[in-house]
Amino acid sequence: MADHPLVEQAQSLGTPLIDGDTATFVWIGETAPELIGDFNDWGASALGSVQMTQVAPEVWTHALTLPSDAYIEYVFTTDPDDPDKSLLDPLNRRQVSNGMGRTNNYFAMPGRQTNVAAEFVSGVPQGDVTRHAIYSPMLLSGNRRDVWLYHPPTDEPAPLIVVYDGKDYFRRANLTQIVANLIATKQIAPVALAMIDNAREDRFLEYNATETVLAQVTELVMPLAYNNLNLIDPDISPGAWGVMGASMGGLMAMYTGLRLPQVFGKVICQSGAFQYDLTDYPPIVDVLVRGLPKAPVRIWQDVGRFEWLLAENRAFNALLNEHGYKVTFREFNGGHNWSSWRDMLPAALSALFPA
């Protein structure tokens, strides 16, 4: 085994070793793999993958300077272009799913605040979650889709939030726990949720600003929600409902609000995939903003400073502001992942559904 002070620290404390604003990765071996993560767009940016530096026989390191509240996911790799060549850090036990069937290591800098709203609190009324299924030939991937409905702990009618990528928001972002805690602490008014699973391998097609998804929501999900939840009627309170999503789901949430503002007057768009225009023509959400009268929607946008989508989200936010939309825009020191989106939810929900 290599003999070096950094090795002893890494084995005792785990990696990366954090000192002030510096995170130092350590690898032990005759050769070292490359390092990819949120900080270099997983090797796809102009920076490319990180080559570790040998500091002693069988000891390799790399130091990063990061913001004080950064949250970072990463892996080692022997080939950045081949996901099968990724390697977990043997000196870091902190692991999280990357949402695509694989696992990343992660760490946080000392200034990152814990999202206490995502934690179970004894005595807080939780509400109820029921699982349902909708069926229709218009649904991709088998004509069936699961929907989880959240019944808030109140007898009063509540607005509905339609949640794209609902299974991930439910299970990975702790959305219902966050909502229950925010209701209990009077940071938000009670809201109901319709969390719709995505089309899995057809998710890109489903969420790429399509009218078919609007039909799914209006013809399948909304009747299901009406039959099982006590909801504010959007015909009586136009725009009282909300819609939310992340990445491609964020794009679809924005499209839904712009197309149906009389129902979904509140949009939470996390790391919206606004770069996915497949032709030389402007993306349809741009066309809706530029070509139609301003829709009566309130919008929350957030995006990570370590994301490849940062520039596109800034540009779309500027477009919304140019056309007079009411937008709250936040950037966080993290990447394109559910942990970061989860931690932005308390602020997003409080902004659009205040108590």
Side-chain angles (χ1 to χ4, degrees):
M1 179 62 67
D3 183 16
H4 191 276
L6 283 178
V7 172
E8 182 178 345
Q9 291 181 51
Q11 291 173 336
S12 172
L13 302 175
T15 51
L17 299 170
I18 297 176
D19 182 14
D21 63 356
T22 302
T24 301
F25 300 86
V26 179
W27 183 269
I28 303 170
E30 292 184 3
T31 61
E34 299 168 46
L35 179 62
I36 57 175
D38 292 324
F39 45 83
N40 62 355
D41 196 10
W42 298 89
S45 71
L47 297 174
S49 56
V50 170
Q51 307 292 325
M52 303 289 285
T53 299
Q54 188 170 16
V55 296
E58 298 188 0
V59 182
W60 307 75
T61 68
H62 181 76
L64 284 177
T65 301
L66 295 166
S68 63
D69 62 346
Y71 168 83
I72 297 294
E73 295 186 9
Y74 72 97
V75 293
F76 290 96
T77 179
T78 56
D79 183 353
D81 296 323
D82 186 351
D84 290 331
K85 302 297 185 182
S86 64
L87 303 167
L88 289 173
D89 185 346
L91 297 172
N92 183 354
R93 296 181 179 179
R94 298 179 294 269
Q95 299 178 4
V96 64
S97 168
N98 72 351
M100 295 177 287
R102 299 183 183 278
T103 301
N104 295 333
N105 289 112
Y106 72 90
F107 68 96
M109 297 298 283
R112 182 172 183 256
Q113 298 296 312
T114 300
N115 181 2
V116 295
E119 300 174 357
F120 174 78
V121 179
S122 178
V124 168
Q126 295 297 303
D128 297 307
V129 177
T130 57
R131 183 174 179 174
H132 307 262
I134 53 177
Y135 299 87
S136 173
M138 76 174 71
L139 295 167
L140 296 173
S141 298
N143 299 335
R144 179 187 186 277
R145 197 64 47 80
D146 287 334
V147 181
W148 289 263
L149 297 180
Y150 172 74
H151 311 240
T154 178
D155 294 328
E156 298 298 319
L160 179 71
I161 305 177
V162 168
V163 184
Y164 297 126
D165 289 320
K167 183 178 180 180
D168 289 305
Y169 269 106
F170 178 35
R171 296 186 175 177
R172 303 183 62 199
N174 294 353
L175 176 58
T176 57
Q177 184 64 69
I178 290 171
V179 167
N181 287 339
L182 295 180
I183 292 172
T185 54
K186 301 188 183 306
Q187 296 181 64
I188 66 170
V191 295
L193 305 172
M195 299 170 283
I196 313 167
D197 199 6
N198 60 46
R200 301 179 186 178
E201 66 272 10
D202 294 322
R203 177 174 175 270
F204 178 87
L205 295 175
E206 181 178 50
Y207 287 164
N208 201 7
T210 58
E211 291 290 291
T212 305
V213 174
L214 297 187
Q216 294 170 16
V217 169
T218 57
E219 301 303 315
L220 301 174
V221 177
M222 288 174 60
L224 176 72
Y226 271 124
N227 288 336
N228 291 274
L229 299 168
N230 186 13
L231 300 175
I232 291 174
D233 189 339
D235 290 335
I236 297 174
S237 302
W241 289 11
V243 60
M244 62 185 291
S247 193
M248 289 300 297
L251 171 65
M252 192 64 223
M254 188 68 70
Y255 182 74
T256 301
L258 294 173
R259 280 284 287 112
L260 300 175
Q262 70 276 17
V263 178
F264 302 103
K266 301 175 182 181
V267 176
I268 296 175
C269 175
Q270 300 195 276
S271 302
F274 298 117
Q275 94 282 21
Y276 282 120
D277 50 311
L278 302 180
T279 70
D280 293 331
Y281 299 98
I284 188 63
V285 288
D286 283 33
V287 173
L288 293 176
V289 173
R290 295 178 188 277
L292 295 179
K294 179 172 70 76
V297 294
R298 295 176 58 196
I299 298 169
W300 170 280
Q301 269 187 282
D302 61 57
V303 65
R305 294 193 177 100
F306 294 108
E307 293 192 55
W308 67 95
L309 292 166
L310 178 59
E312 287 83 356
N313 274 266
R314 287 174 172 172
F316 191 75
N317 176 255
L319 179 66
L320 290 169
N321 286 318
E322 176 187 340
H323 287 267
Y325 281 84
K326 187 173 182 179
V327 189
T328 302
F329 183 72
R330 294 286 185 272
E331 295 179 5
F332 53 84
N333 288 316
H336 196 81
N337 55 66
W338 284 102
S339 296
S340 294
W341 298 327
R342 176 199 64 208
D343 289 350
M344 296 302 294
L345 286 175
L349 291 163
S350 298
L352 296 189
F353 296 93

